[in-house]
Amino acid sequence: GTRLGVIGDYPEGFDACMFTHSELSELFGVDVEEHNLIAFLDGVKELDDDVAAVHYQERAQVFSNLADMDRGVTLKTLKAYEAMRRLVSERGYAGLAVRCWPEFFTHYGAAACGAIALLNENFIPGGCEADVHGVLTSLILQRLAGKPAFNTDLVDIDRESDTIVFWHCGQAPVQMADPENEIRATIH
């Protein structure tokens, strides 16, 4: 009975994000509802900045440097979150996969990462590039752990510098941040 939403199609070449409704239904009992990305972004554009105000105040308590970020772009991200949150609530979704690249930038003017991170923080698994499989995996992990989860791609390990590079880490929930360190916003 689990329902997931997906906004937009997976990008060309991201074949691992390809899904079929029948497989997800048969294997996991999951129903996926699709939404047009441009129509969604046009709806976000119509939202008044006021819908982002409460989210901005909440984020200012979390990110020590939020005031240093471009306020207009930050509000766009928070409006996108509000639109995603509303869609999830209205449609009864357990998670939401969203195509980000390149339309969020070219058609809307902001990244989807921060909005998806807020979904993840609030126990609504979200993922970029319309990765329904990643969102479903995050939902399973979240339910097993009782804590927020997110999907990411491991793209490089450098043993000499003892570092790992992840892709899509902008959607990580703040609950995963090191409590010993300050949480800071940055530009995508």
Side-chain angles (χ1 to χ4, degrees):
T2 299
R3 298 181 69 207
L4 301 176
V6 61
I7 302 172
D9 299 321
Y10 69 92
E12 188 174 322
F14 283 57
D15 294 345
C17 297
M18 186 184 331
F19 72 93
T20 65
H21 293 274
S22 60
E23 273 187 345
L24 289 174
S25 178
E26 290 170 23
L27 295 173
F28 299 101
V30 172
D31 181 41
V32 179
E33 190 171 273
E34 298 180 58
H35 301 271
N36 179 278
L37 175 60
I38 299 303
F40 174 80
L41 292 174
D42 286 344
V44 176
K45 286 179 181 180
E46 293 176 8
L47 292 175
D48 192 273
D49 285 353
D50 290 345
V51 303
V54 67
H55 303 306
Y56 188 89
Q57 294 307 317
E58 290 169 356
R59 297 290 84 194
Q61 301 302 311
V62 174
F63 296 106
S64 61
N65 67 329
L66 188 64
D68 298 336
M69 299 293 104
D70 180 313
R71 187 173 175 88
V73 174
T74 301
L75 291 177
K76 281 186 173 189
T77 296
L78 296 172
K79 284 169 49 174
Y81 165 67
E82 179 62 22
M84 290 177 195
R85 189 193 65 73
R86 288 178 183 183
L87 180 63
V88 165
S89 178
E90 290 166 6
R91 304 299 303 161
Y93 297 146
L96 188 65
V98 181
R99 176 174 173 145
C100 173
W101 187 255
E103 291 84 2
F104 251 84
F105 295 92
T106 59
H107 191 78
Y108 183 58
C113 305
I116 294 171
L118 281 164
L119 289 176
N120 288 321
E121 285 178 35
N122 290 293
F123 292 87
I124 304 164
C128 59
E129 304 317 350
D131 185 359
V132 171
H133 297 129
V135 169
L136 178 56
T137 301
S138 293
L139 179 62
I140 292 167
L141 291 170
Q142 175 186 289
R143 289 188 178 170
L144 287 171
K147 296 181 179 179
F150 81 106
N151 67 317
T152 187
D153 297 328
L154 174 64
V155 294
D156 186 49
I157 298 174
D158 186 333
R159 293 181 191 272
E160 288 183 29
S161 66
D162 194 28
T163 60
I164 298 174
V165 176
F166 292 103
W167 196 7
H168 304 312
C169 52
Q171 58 185 319
V174 294
Q175 292 95 324
M176 291 183 174
D178 182 347
E180 306 277 325
N181 290 307
E182 168 184 60
I183 301 174
R184 297 178 53 81
T186 189
I187 299 169
H188 186 287

